């Protein structure tokens, strides 16, 4: 089972009783795969051989919209070592290879009962349970999700099912979150005697404020769609129905369509959308950086697409 478990499958007190019943030595790694001196590329390569699952990417899911799927359904889409490496690889690709995309949707594969249930320890306990290993994959995921949050694309997390622990952290790396009525976001780290390590703390503070972030990180209290909407963590609640996955995905696509298409159904300039996202993401790092603003503007103002928009391009 994943480290962060669905309450509907196994209650947390029962999980603790199972873990506590094991001799401490059986929970420790038998092979230390990682070193404190490992670089991020070295950590990524070592994780690549651990576990199952994939990160799937469909670049043409909708006009101007790509789809990223956390695909490990037998483990509630929990992140294995190989999935962490693949997510870092995909983030590299999206950073470095120009596309005409305006947005990305992140979802979990079906028929899992979670968007993502955190860390998958099912096949790599001997490598991932040590403090050295925890810091290693924590560094990689922190770096990956921080970079993912700054990608020049508008991103939506489609949470038809709960985002738990590390899955909740992943959801905060997206610009928007769409939840099904029965879903939730829950930071379970304190229940597992750890703290969020994938960069969610700063992102959550920016989203809902310091006091509320502290409350929900420290208490592990579930955040329902309605509560999340009230706090500003959730941006939309999809319709209720027998197929929450499809309904939530459709609502996520509709949200992005409002950015990538104009009212007549024509594509909005992807370069402009990417430039705007760059500015917003950069504002998280610098309150007012005129040089960066001008750098982004210099790549957009006066371009063929800009001139067509400003001068009419044959249309009023």
């Amino acid at each position: 089972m994943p480290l962060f478990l669905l309450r509907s499958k196994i209650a947390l007190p029962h999980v603790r009783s199972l873990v506590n019943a094991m001799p401490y030595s059986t929970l420790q790694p038998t092979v230390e795969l990682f070193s404190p001196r490992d670089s991020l590329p070295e950590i990524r390569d070592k994780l690549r051989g651990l576990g199952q699952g994939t990160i799937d990417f469909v670049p043409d899911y909708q006009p101007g919209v790509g789809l990223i799927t956390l695909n490990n359904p037998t483990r509630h889409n929990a992140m294995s070592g190989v999935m962490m490496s693949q997510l870092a690889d995909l983030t590299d690709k999206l950073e470095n290879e120009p596309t005409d995309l305006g947005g990305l949707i992140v979802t979990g594969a079906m028929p899992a009962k979670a968007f993502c249930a955190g860390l998958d320890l099912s096949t790599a306990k001997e490598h991932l349970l040590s403090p050295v290993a925890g810091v290693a994959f924590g560094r990689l995921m922190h770096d990956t999700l921080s970079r993912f949050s700054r990608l020049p694309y508008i991103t939506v997390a489609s949470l038809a099912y709960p985002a738990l622990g590390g899955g909740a952290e992943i959801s905060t790396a997206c610009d928007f979150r769409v939840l099904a009525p029965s879903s939730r976001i829950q930071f379970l780290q304190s229940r597992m005697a750890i703290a969020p390590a994938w960069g969610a703390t700063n992102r959550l503070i920016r989203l809902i404020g310091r006091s509320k972030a502290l409350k929900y990180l420290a208490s592990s209290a579930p955040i329902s769609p309605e509560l999340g909407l009230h706090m500003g963590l959730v941006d939309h609640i999809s319709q209720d129905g027998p197929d929450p996955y499809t309904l939530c995905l459709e609502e996520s696509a509709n949200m992005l369509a409002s950015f990538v298409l104009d009212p007549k159904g024509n594509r909005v300039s992807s370069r402009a959308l990417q430039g705007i996202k760059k500015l917003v993401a950069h504002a998280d790092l610098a309150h007012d950086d005129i040089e960066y603003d001008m750098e982004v503007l210099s790549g957009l103002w006066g371009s063929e697409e800009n001139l067509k928009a400003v001068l009419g391009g044959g249309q009023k």
Side-chain angles (χ1 to χ4, degrees), residues 220-235:
S220 292
I223 301 172
S224 69
E226 294 79 13
L227 177 59
L229 193 65
H230 176 72
M231 291 193 301
L233 180 60
V234 174
D235 299 279

Side-chain angles (χ1 to χ4, degrees), residues 27-29 31-32 34 125 127-135 137:
L27 301 177
Q28 296 302 293
V31 178
E32 188 61 80
F34 300 93
K125 290 185 180 69
H127 296 300
L128 295 180
L129 279 177
S130 75
V132 172
V135 169
F137 68 74

Side-chain angles (χ1 to χ4, degrees), residues 2-250:
L3 178 59
F4 302 120
L5 297 154
L6 293 176
R7 290 188 304 171
S8 59
K9 300 295 287 185
I10 300 179
L12 282 170
H14 184 51
V15 173
R16 292 193 190 96
S17 68
L18 289 175
V19 173
N20 291 339
M22 300 177 186
Y24 182 73
S25 61
T26 66
L27 301 177
Q28 296 302 293
T30 57
V31 178
E32 188 61 80
L33 182 62
F34 300 93
S35 164
R37 296 180 296 278
D38 286 343
S39 65
L40 287 174
E42 289 172 329
I43 294 168
R44 191 188 306 195
D45 286 342
K46 290 179 179 182
L47 286 168
R48 202 176 299 282
L50 302 181
Q52 61 185 37
T54 57
I55 302 295
D56 301 334
F57 178 48
V58 179
D60 55 354
Y61 175 70
Q62 298 282 351
V65 176
L67 178 66
I68 298 171
T69 302
L70 313 180
N71 189 355
N72 191 10
T74 61
R75 300 296 176 183
H76 307 304
N77 296 321
M79 294 291 290
S80 64
V82 65
M83 292 171 70
M84 292 181 194
S85 294
Q86 289 181 3
L87 184 59
D89 294 342
L90 178 58
T91 302
D92 287 352
K93 179 182 176 71
L94 292 168
E95 281 179 328
N96 299 318
E97 297 181 14
T99 76
D100 66 348
L101 293 176
L104 298 168
I105 299 172
V106 182
T107 188
M110 289 293 287
K113 295 298 184 182
F115 161 76
C116 174
L119 174 65
D120 182 4
L121 284 171
S122 61
T123 58
K125 290 185 180 69
E126 69 274 21
H127 296 300
L128 295 180
L129 279 177
S130 75
V132 172
V135 169
F137 68 74
R139 285 178 58 208
L140 181 66
M141 285 299 293
H142 193 295
D143 175 76
T144 298
L145 293 179
S146 295
R147 291 189 297 117
F148 186 89
S149 71
R150 296 193 294 268
L151 287 175
Y153 307 108
I154 299 171
T155 54
V156 178
S158 179
L159 308 180
Y161 297 101
L164 305 173
E169 294 210 54
I170 292 171
S171 77
T172 67
C174 293
D175 300 312
F176 302 102
R177 282 147 293 282
V178 176
L179 269 66
S182 60
S183 187
R184 72 184 187 276
I185 297 172
Q186 190 170 10
F187 296 90
L188 289 172
Q189 285 85 346
S190 68
R191 302 284 185 90
M192 297 293 123
I194 57 173
W198 297 357
T201 302
N202 285 336
R203 295 191 294 268
L204 194 63
I205 289 172
R206 291 197 296 266
L207 285 165
I208 65 175
R210 182 183 183 279
S211 295
K212 289 187 178 67
L214 178 60
K215 175 181 178 179
Y216 289 99
L217 290 174
S219 70
S220 292
I223 301 172
S224 69
E226 294 79 13
L227 177 59
L229 193 65
H230 176 72
M231 291 193 301
L233 180 60
V234 174
D235 299 279
H236 189 74
I237 302 173
S238 63
Q239 293 183 350
D240 200 3
D243 185 2
Y245 183 83
T246 299
L247 290 170
C248 199
L249 204 54
E250 288 177 351

